[in-house]
Amino acid sequence: MTPAAPAHLAMFSIAAAGHVHPSLEVVRELVRRGHRVSYAIPAPFADLVAATGARPVVHPSTLPTDQDPERWGTELIDHLELFLDDAIQALPRLADAFAGDEPDLVLHDITSYPARVLAHRWGVPAVSLSPNLVAWEGYEEEVGEPALAPMRATDRGRAYDDRFTAWLAANGIHRHPDAFVGRPRRSLVLIPEALQPHADRVDRSVHSFVGSCQGERAGQGTWERPADAGKVLLVSLGSAFTKQPAFYRACVEAFGDLPGWHTVLSVGRHVDPAELGAVPPSVEVHRWVPQLAVLRQADAFVTHAGAGGSQEGLATGTPMVAVPQAVDQFGNADMLVGLGVARRLSTEEATAERLREAVLSLVGDPEVPARFERILRGMAREGGAPRAADLVEAELADHAAGSAA
């Protein structure tokens, strides 16, 4: 492949680990190839972005953070209004930040609505970097419309649609909000195809699965497996939905006295380790751990089945017990179970007895390693960050050719 001429690329995301981390290796690869990347991101992730060689374009955000997850609310409309509010306030700030230094191509997280508006304004291609599943043919009828119908039957839901539509129209975009959000012009999917529901019905002219783009993540630190650990279990519910002290106590009860097992318990910011009571020496409790480093040495993983954790579990060949908490995690859990490498428990079902039984049955299943081997072969073919960068450069070349015609 002929190397692409150096270009200025702009990446846009939100201050959420599950949305930023999947893009970082793609950005690092593009920088390595000589492109100049400006990455629009709120301040908490600026240093992480800078470590890739990209220039952080720091801007304020009104979205809830891991410190105040309750602000997300409890209903779908709560989430949607927050994203739209943030987009509306961010757009003029981002336009000013790039004034006089507009990019040749826009890369964007699925939640970054201003990125697509700006790409339209600048007349440059926009490429979505999706950190989770994408819509398939029939998605709207099967999933989208049933989920949104109750909201749209309310005054608040209709007002949200009207406001979103008016904002798009004021910026020269005449599309329904659902299509604007869920149907990008071009998309690179940063999850393994194995995690995509109805993959055979995904439009491959739009969506390219490039799989996990994890990198080494050396900057996150290391973890050493204890010399006396026969088997290692990692327990983590991610960074947002972690206020679950009863669940963590059940994990201590389930695995703390399990002969030969060492448990790494990541409890997040919202639980005081003292709430767990007496913890045996075979259980180490942390607010945060370098998850990938632990998984590379682990024998089992109790996870909330977020997109990042699910694919990290697959990439490291780690059997998983999924205890989903919100949004796409329920679907991810079902996909993992369907692949034959996971068990699923609801939060209510996750008693000490059920957790222990699920982990031991998975680790003792002689078919699980063979299933992982097949999955990993498929993931290797997807290409990761180098293929993602190839596809971005192809978009640049197509745009340049179209502009010259």
Side-chain angles (χ1 to χ4, degrees):
M1 183 175 179
T2 304
H8 178 205
L9 311 175
M11 173 67 196
F12 297 77
S13 192
I14 61 171
H19 291 261
V20 175
H21 283 294
S23 70
L24 294 177
E25 289 307 310
V26 179
V27 168
R28 194 188 310 276
E29 177 65 16
L30 289 165
V31 170
R32 189 191 67 78
R33 295 185 184 196
H35 300 291
R36 181 165 65 92
V37 181
S38 302
Y39 198 129
I41 190 70
F45 285 84
D47 290 345
L48 200 61
V49 164
T52 68
R55 175 179 70 95
V57 177
V58 177
H59 66 94
S61 170
T62 59
L63 291 174
T65 66
D66 288 348
Q67 282 72 36
D68 56 356
E70 291 83 4
R71 279 190 55 226
W72 282 110
T74 58
E75 300 180 40
L76 177 60
I77 185 65
D78 298 330
H79 291 64
L80 297 180
E81 287 177 339
L82 286 166
F83 279 117
L84 182 57
D85 290 345
D86 188 55
I88 291 172
Q89 69 84 28
L91 179 61
R93 299 172 188 269
L94 291 169
D96 289 346
F98 283 92
D101 190 27
E102 291 81 5
D104 301 296
L105 180 144
V106 164
L107 300 168
H108 63 87
D109 181 72
I110 56 175
T111 58
S112 185
Y113 308 158
R116 280 163 276 184
V117 172
L118 289 171
H120 176 81
R121 183 181 298 181
W122 295 328
V124 300
V127 179
S128 169
L129 300 186
S130 178
N132 49 27
L133 64 86
V134 295
W136 55 88
E137 296 306 313
Y139 173 86
E140 286 80 5
E141 296 80 5
E142 297 166 15
V143 178
E145 291 172 8
L148 292 169
M151 180 192 87
R152 290 193 166 127
T154 68
D155 290 342
R156 186 179 172 194
R158 287 188 289 269
Y160 164 81
D161 270 353
D162 290 346
R163 184 173 176 231
F164 203 153
T165 301
W167 180 68
L168 291 176
N171 286 284
I173 298 174
H174 301 282
R175 299 182 73 192
H176 190 279
D178 291 356
F180 174 79
V181 172
R183 293 292 181 179
R185 182 196 67 85
R186 187 73 174 92
S187 166
L188 307 183
V189 190
L190 307 183
I191 64 169
E193 187 174 333
L195 283 175
Q196 170 66 43
H198 306 295
D200 58 327
R201 291 158 57 191
V202 170
D203 184 350
R204 301 312 170 102
S205 70
V206 173
H207 302 286
S208 297
F209 287 87
V210 299
S212 297
C213 302
Q214 295 171 346
E216 290 303 312
R217 299 194 190 168
Q220 292 187 358
T222 60
W223 181 81
E224 294 296 327
R225 181 184 180 117
D228 61 348
K231 293 190 181 298
V232 168
L233 169 70
L234 172 64
V235 178
S236 173
L237 296 181
S239 59
F241 302 97
T242 60
K243 198 170 184 178
Q244 302 281 357
F247 168 77
Y248 298 124
R249 284 193 291 268
C251 290
V252 172
E253 181 184 348
F255 306 109
D257 62 353
L258 196 58
W261 281 78
H262 182 86
T263 299
V264 180
L265 193 59
S266 178
V267 299
R269 295 184 175 95
H270 308 297
V271 171
D272 183 343
E275 295 181 68
L276 306 185
V279 176
S282 62
V283 178
E284 53 181 274
V285 181
H286 305 274
R287 293 195 181 276
W288 180 88
V289 297
Q291 181 162 288
L292 196 56
V294 179
L295 284 175
R296 285 171 174 154
Q297 304 173 70
D299 300 279
F301 182 23
V302 176
T303 172
H304 65 310
S310 296
Q311 60 184 303
E312 288 173 3
L314 289 180
T316 55
T318 311
M320 287 167 273
V321 174
V323 187
Q325 301 295 303
V327 290
D328 64 326
Q329 297 160 19
F330 301 98
N332 293 337
D334 289 342
M335 294 298 292
L336 293 170
V337 171
L339 291 169
V341 297
R343 304 283 189 271
R344 174 178 169 173
L345 298 173
S346 69
T347 302
E348 295 72 28
E349 293 171 330
T351 62
E353 182 180 359
R354 295 287 297 277
L355 285 164
R356 182 188 289 211
E357 186 278 329
V359 167
L360 293 180
S361 67
L362 268 173
V363 173
D365 185 343
E367 299 299 319
V368 169
R371 293 172 192 143
F372 268 121
E373 187 176 341
R374 289 192 294 272
I375 293 166
L376 289 168
R377 283 199 300 267
M379 291 173 66
R381 291 191 293 268
E382 290 170 337
R387 181 163 173 254
D390 287 346
L391 293 169
V392 170
E393 291 184 334
E395 289 292 317
L396 283 167
D398 287 349
H399 181 64
S403 300

